[in-house]
Amino acid sequence: MSAQVVVGTQWGDEGKGKIVDVLAEQADMVVRFQGGDNAGHTVVVNGVKHVLHLLPSGVLRKEAQCIIGPGVVCNPFVLLKEMETLRQSGLSTDHIKISDRAQILMPYHCYQDELEEAAAQNKIGTTKRGIGPCYQDKYARRGIRFHEFKNFETFEKRLRYSVEQKNKLFTSVYGAKPMDVEEMVAQFKEIHDQIVPMIIESTHVVNQAIKENKRVLFEGAQAAMLDINYGTYPYVTSSSPTAAGVTVGAGIAPSKIDQVIGVVKAYSTRVGEGPFVTELLNEQGELLRQQGFEYGATTGRPRRCGWLDLLVVKHADMINGLTDIVLTKVDVLGGLDEIKVCIGYEIDGEVYDYVPSDQSDVAKAKPVYKVLQGWKEDISKCRTWDELPEACKSYVEFIEQFCEIPVSMISVGADRENNIYRNDRVRP
Ligand code: GDP
Ligand code: IMO
Ligand code: MG
């Protein structure tokens, strides 16, 4: 497999970072293609935890070139901080490159995100990392890309004009303080020499790697239900965290994608606002939060928890064309008497077998559950399928049969080593 895509199938935080790190052991290149530092991808190596926001999770493998692709909105200050943290842990950062087409996420985007959220009638619960405002500017064709940063003089002119325009918005629409342009220019000047050597024309580089049959991993951030078009709009992010997002966000032809791996968490979580049909607002949900340590890696917010929703996974499959599922956090379900999975939505007396697009319908949907038997054993030490309790195997097989997608790998713990491989399709 040359080009492998790893995407989230629910509302994010499925464990994509961990899976990318595992697969990156044998990868030549790992590419982020959308989103920005709204992502929080945790990788645990020998008990040491690394949280990555902008850097691809392959970054801990120094042999794999890491690329922040054209579709990413990249805050260069966050990027440098993240690189510094890695260096402090003794890790190399020489293999990190930024696409010249990627958008520069500016300090004013973060400020705008905060002001928009504070003033919004319908709060989304964003990460306040400036993601929405940066994509707004990109699609309005007034964004500033990394290639423009190479020439500081022209960049500075563009920056000054943009801050002037944004300050009009901040002061007259939001009644907020303007931003200090001099300070911003100075901040950018300071990082110029560190950022410029990392800027490359990535699209040629990535396509060449695929042509040479090198193993390239595309790491999705966020997930299908946060997709700008097919998620729970407007409670979504501003990019396409799907296999199709790879084509536009990395410059890869659809026909070049060999495998689309959907990461499915064994239950559901969501951070921020928006409908969540299987949400458990009781001690059962609290138990999942505690056992699964469900607190946001970016904002620290407690994640909303609920049972696995297979309509959501099917929806993710429909828009991604999943070739494989990697099922994560199965260990977290250990100790329960029974486990529920949602296989339908009842809306106004009618049962749906797909997720409707109208969020007011989703908001009133009642889950139709299939109740499966739980297991008592701690499965975190299991490394083969045969070692798993029968009830756990049945749980996995039910998902596989309902979604008609092979569960090729099962993750039973946060560390790199805690995996069960079921075939040769998804493994390092
Ligand atoms: P991502 O955003 O999809 O990369 O996921 P996050 O890193 O935000 O959240 C997943 C969390 O679960 C992280 O803290 C991981 O270390 C942890 N994790 C990943 N896989 C497993 C697993 O199989 N079992 C357990 N117990 N934890 C896991
Ligand atoms: P990873 O990659 C979970 C959510 C926010 C909010 C909505 C919009 O770690 O899975 P944004 O800041 O993107 O404008 O916020 O999307 N959100 C995530 N939730 N995991 C993420 O990333 C997320 N990135 C954004 O909480 O509801
Ligand atoms: Mg996360």
Side-chain angles (χ1 to χ4, degrees), residues 16 29 62 64 86 149-150 177 248 278 287 310 381:
K16 299 176 290 295
M29 199 176 270
K62 65 176 188 309
L86 285 185
F149 194 44
K150 288 186 185 166
K177 279 194 208 150
V248 291
T278 62
L287 188 78
L310 288 181
K381 303 250 165 10

Side-chain angles (χ1 to χ4, degrees), residues 11-72:
W11 287 275
D13 306 325
E14 296 88 353
K16 299 176 290 295
K18 174 197 156 156
I19 304 308
V20 168
D21 167 70
V22 168
L23 299 179
E25 187 185 329
Q26 297 292 331
D28 297 291
M29 199 176 270
V30 187
V31 185
R32 276 279 308 267
F33 56 92
Q34 46 71 231
D37 66 294
N38 48 349
H41 295 179
T42 311
V43 177
V44 182
V45 184
N46 299 324
V48 180
K49 187 168 145 179
H50 303 270
V51 184
L52 304 161
H53 299 287
L54 266 170
L55 292 171
S57 300
V59 74
L60 306 180
R61 317 275 192 178
K62 65 176 188 309
E63 295 77 17
Q65 189 168 35
C66 286
I67 296 180
I68 295 173
V72 174

Side-chain angles (χ1 to χ4, degrees), residues 117-326:
E117 270 286 272
Q121 250 183 343
N122 237 355
K123 294 196 197 313
I124 292 164
T126 74
T127 59
K128 306 214 176 108
R129 300 301 158 108
I131 307 300
C134 190
Y135 277 115
Q136 286 173 33
D137 284 349
K138 169 177 175 165
Y139 287 104
R141 296 161 295 181
R142 56 174 176 250
I144 304 181
R145 309 203 294 184
F146 275 87
H147 65 83
E148 295 185 67
F149 194 44
K150 288 186 185 166
N151 181 334
F152 198 81
E153 246 174 69
T154 53
F155 169 78
E156 186 181 332
K157 274 191 205 137
R158 293 266 280 132
L159 180 66
R160 284 184 184 277
Y161 178 72
S162 295
V163 176
E164 196 183 304
Q165 296 301 308
K166 290 288 179 188
N167 276 343
K168 285 184 200 161
L169 173 76
F170 299 152
T171 53
S172 40
V173 175
Y174 295 107
K177 279 194 208 150
M179 294 190 92
D180 181 345
V181 68
E182 299 308 330
E183 189 187 331
M184 214 182 295
V185 169
Q187 284 168 344
F188 273 104
K189 181 122 207 138
E190 206 177 308
I191 64 167
H192 187 255
D193 291 352
Q194 285 165 274
I195 292 290
V196 168
M198 287 198 280
I199 304 171
I200 61 164
E201 207 295 52
S202 73
T203 309
H204 271 105
V205 174
V206 176
N207 275 290
Q208 189 59 31
I210 292 175
K211 206 169 177 181
E212 289 167 11
N213 229 11
K214 291 196 170 144
R215 192 168 174 183
V216 183
L217 275 174
F218 294 95
E219 175 177 352
Q222 292 81 51
M225 296 312 274
L226 294 173
D227 180 275
I228 184 73
N229 291 298
Y230 307 104
T232 54
Y233 192 89
Y235 304 101
V236 293
T237 191
S238 300
S239 65
S240 301
T242 55
V246 173
T247 66
V248 291
I252 304 301
S255 57
K256 295 283 186 334
I257 295 173
D258 296 307
Q259 197 176 20
V260 184
I261 301 165
V263 185
V264 177
K265 178 147 56 178
Y267 49 95
S268 305
T269 62
R270 170 160 212 177
V271 199
E273 304 305 318
F276 181 178
V277 177
T278 62
E279 183 167 20
L280 292 164
L281 295 163
N282 54 18
E283 66 275 17
Q284 185 70 63
E286 189 53 37
L287 188 78
L288 288 174
R289 187 173 306 115
Q290 295 312 326
Q291 310 259 83
F293 197 70
E294 295 297 350
Y295 295 89
T298 299
T299 57
R301 290 178 287 181
R303 295 173 181 153
R304 300 158 66 191
C305 295
W307 294 119
L308 178 61
D309 185 340
L310 288 181
L311 293 200
V312 162
V313 179
K314 277 196 148 182
H315 182 76
D317 176 38
M318 180 176 75
I319 61 173
N320 276 291
L322 302 179
T323 57
D324 300 83
I325 284 177
V326 172

